[in-house]
Amino acid sequence: MNQSSPFAARTVVILVIGGALLLLASILMSGFGDEIARATGEAPAADRKDGAGYHAFQRLVEAVQPPDYDDVDPRENAAILILTPTEATRPADIKAIVDKRIAMASALSDGDAEDEDGPPLRYPTLIILPKWQVEKLPLQGGRVQRTGEVDGTKLQQLVPAEADWHVEDRSDVGLVADDYPALRSFALPDRGLNAMAGDAITPLIGARDGAAVLGQIGSSDTFVLADPDLVNNRALADQRNAKAALAMLRAIDPEHDGRALFDRSLHYTRGDRNLVKLLFLPPFLGVTLALIAAAVLAGIAAAGRFGPRCARSARWRRASAR
């Protein structure tokens, strides 16, 4: 009777090592999958050229009224910061950006600091909420198609204020803010418009029931555009919307002619913390590597025989084989 193994020793070693590596990869993907998806997923809305992206708006702003770029963080630039979150964006990330810009403007106001060459810096922020879910078409060179609308409940959470979600008929929507005479009317799409209502939201473009398509949050320089169909690539194919979009920026920040830049950091933000990240990031990475090395050495030690084979054991095997 042949008691030899059906697998060669080299095959067993390869299978064990391969299985261990696959297990480690699975663990890492479970912990860092959200960050990998952010880094390798679809491009930020500001760069996308499909109908739901804002590439045309970005090019228009850069061509007509580009901001004064410098080496500081874009979030610290005094130009209008345009945020284009997705439904996967965490509300806390938006709130952190908004609070930081409000704090910077407040610090300048308290210190009576002004731009040497112009009016005081206000650090306005414009949040353009998402509306459409899209997916890439296979073998279509990056083209996408709409698959539905984003859940309104998720959109409410992205507004840095208490808000109720509305869908308004285009016939009920128009300019309502007397304090912003520079605003111009958009060519409204032939579909329902997303809007929001709340005690802390002042409508600039709104509906008869008081809901805001474009609203200001309290007395801050934070503005929210609830329906992106006014400024996305599909909308800016209409010259009237391009002019209205530039007028909107000038109305938000007339002192600096509505200069603006798009933020991309929301698309590449770090994911939530979990146990896997705790194990594979400093300061605990060294401990994890030491444990892995100890396990590998223990496996190598267990695979080898300590000392010569016992003679009694060898005789017993021969007898049992007969």
Side-chain angles (χ1 to χ4, degrees):
M1 181 176 179
N2 186 9
Q3 297 292 328
S4 62
S5 171
F7 297 103
R10 180 182 299 177
T11 303
V12 174
V13 171
I14 292 175
L15 289 176
V16 171
I17 294 176
L21 292 177
L22 289 175
L23 176 61
L24 180 61
S26 176
I27 294 174
L28 291 175
M29 285 296 296
S30 68
F32 293 89
D34 52 351
E35 294 187 9
I36 295 174
R38 285 180 172 90
T40 62
E42 64 179 21
D47 297 332
R48 284 169 34 202
K49 299 181 180 180
D50 58 87
Y54 307 108
H55 180 73
F57 192 18
Q58 179 191 14
R59 292 287 302 274
L60 178 66
V61 169
E62 291 179 349
V64 177
Q65 46 202 36
D68 296 327
Y69 285 100
D70 49 36
D71 295 332
V72 302
D73 187 332
R75 301 180 185 185
E76 299 178 3
N77 196 302
I80 300 171
L81 184 65
I82 301 178
L83 306 181
T84 55
T86 67
E87 61 178 328
T89 301
R90 297 184 301 183
D93 292 334
I94 294 180
K95 187 176 185 303
I97 295 175
V98 170
D99 289 346
K100 180 178 181 180
R101 291 178 66 80
I102 292 176
M104 289 190 298
S106 177
L108 289 176
S109 177
D110 294 342
D112 197 22
E114 296 187 358
D115 185 355
E116 295 179 357
D117 300 324
L121 303 180
R122 297 170 45 219
Y123 295 94
T125 306
L126 173 63
I127 304 170
I128 304 178
L129 298 181
K131 184 174 184 178
W132 302 104
Q133 294 177 333
V134 297
E135 66 178 12
K136 292 183 179 180
L137 293 171
L139 305 178
Q140 294 294 321
R143 295 178 59 188
V144 300
Q145 66 177 358
R146 293 178 177 176
T147 59
E149 293 193 22
V150 177
D151 184 3
T153 303
K154 294 182 179 179
L155 297 181
Q156 284 180 241
Q157 299 173 359
L158 299 178
V159 180
E162 293 293 332
D164 295 324
W165 203 248
H166 291 227
V167 177
E168 304 289 348
D169 187 87
R170 57 176 295 181
S171 61
D172 294 331
V173 175
L175 302 178
V176 296
D178 297 332
D179 295 337
Y180 295 87
L183 285 173
R184 297 181 57 166
S185 298
F186 285 87
L188 302 178
D190 189 17
R191 64 176 70 90
L193 294 171
N194 286 347
M196 56 192 174
D199 295 337
I201 301 174
T202 302
L204 281 63
I205 299 175
R208 297 176 183 177
D209 61 3
V213 176
L214 172 65
Q216 181 178 8
I217 305 300
S219 59
S220 69
D221 287 316
T222 304
F223 302 83
V224 179
L225 182 62
D227 198 303
D229 283 349
L230 303 184
V231 296
N232 57 23
N233 294 330
R234 186 185 299 272
L236 293 192
D238 190 321
Q239 188 178 20
R240 294 172 294 174
N241 286 334
K243 293 179 179 179
L246 292 176
M248 175 183 66
L249 296 180
R250 293 191 180 103
I252 289 175
D253 190 13
E255 294 88 350
H256 299 91
D257 198 32
R259 292 182 174 86
L261 55 84
F262 284 77
D263 174 82
R264 294 172 176 80
S265 62
L266 288 176
H267 186 78
Y268 299 108
T269 52
R270 295 174 62 85
D272 295 325
R273 299 183 64 183
N274 54 54
L275 182 59
V276 173
K277 289 182 180 180
L278 183 66
L279 292 175
F280 287 93
L281 290 175
F284 297 104
L285 177 60
V287 177
T288 303
L289 293 178
L291 291 175
I292 292 176
V296 171
L297 293 176
I300 294 175
R305 180 181 298 113
F306 292 92
R309 179 184 300 182
C310 177
R312 181 179 179 183
S313 176
R315 288 196 301 270
W316 181 83
R317 287 194 186 90
R318 288 196 297 269
S320 63
R322 295 172 185 171

